[in-house]
Amino acid sequence: MSTLINKVLFSRAGYGLTVLRIVVGIIFAAHGSQKLFGLFGGYGLAGTAQWMESIGLAPGYLMATLAGGTEFFAGLALIIGLLVRPAALGLAILSLVAIFSVHIGNGLFMANNGYEFALALLAGSVAVLIEGAGKLSVDRAIAG
């Protein structure tokens, strides 16, 4: 197997990282399904695009598609443990954009629409990026 592919897939992490990866993946996939499909009380692509335009992320439809697609598909990748490092990188970048474009001006706490939840998801994504998928993952099965 190529050295680069092995570096992307290999993980020495244990079961704890597996639990973190799955929970973070579920949260992101659910948020992505709100943006893309209007599930779980979300607004779908049209509503999300309109909101993104209103906060200066234009073009709104493209930004909504990119954000929702990254959350949904990278979240699914984390859940099943396939290509988790590239997925986690995308989610970390997305979390940084959310923190600095939406939440930073509201302070830390969620009660004020602050950045604490996005920061926690960023930390989970970075942990997966650094450590890999953990023991129970497709990545580990492929890397051997």
Side-chain angles (χ1 to χ4, degrees):
M1 184 179 319
S2 156
T3 304
L4 177 61
I5 293 172
N6 194 42
K7 284 182 182 178
V8 169
L9 300 179
F10 183 74
S11 173
R12 288 191 197 111
Y15 295 110
L17 211 297
T18 300
V19 171
L20 177 67
R21 169 180 55 84
I22 292 169
V23 171
V24 169
I26 289 169
I27 293 167
F28 273 117
H31 278 268
S33 69
Q34 288 179 311
K35 289 177 180 69
L36 293 176
F37 314 119
L39 298 176
F40 308 114
Y43 298 107
L45 271 177
T48 303
Q50 187 176 37
W51 176 76
M52 287 195 166
E53 287 269 352
S54 77
I55 63 166
L57 295 174
Y61 192 83
L62 176 63
M63 295 297 118
T65 302
L66 289 172
T70 300
E71 286 178 333
F72 184 73
F73 291 108
L76 290 180
L78 262 60
I79 292 167
I80 65 173
L82 178 63
L83 297 172
V84 299
R85 283 193 169 102
L89 177 61
L91 293 170
I93 292 167
L94 184 125
S95 296
L96 286 169
V97 171
I99 288 168
F100 288 106
S101 65
V102 178
H103 302 290
I104 197 77
N106 301 319
L108 176 65
F109 297 106
M110 284 177 52
N112 299 322
N113 196 28
Y115 58 89
E116 73 176 314
F117 185 61
L119 184 63
L121 290 175
L122 171 62
S125 298
V126 170
V128 171
L129 177 62
I130 293 168
E131 295 296 326
K135 283 196 183 272
L136 300 175
S137 66
V138 176
D139 282 359
R140 186 167 177 127
I142 293 170

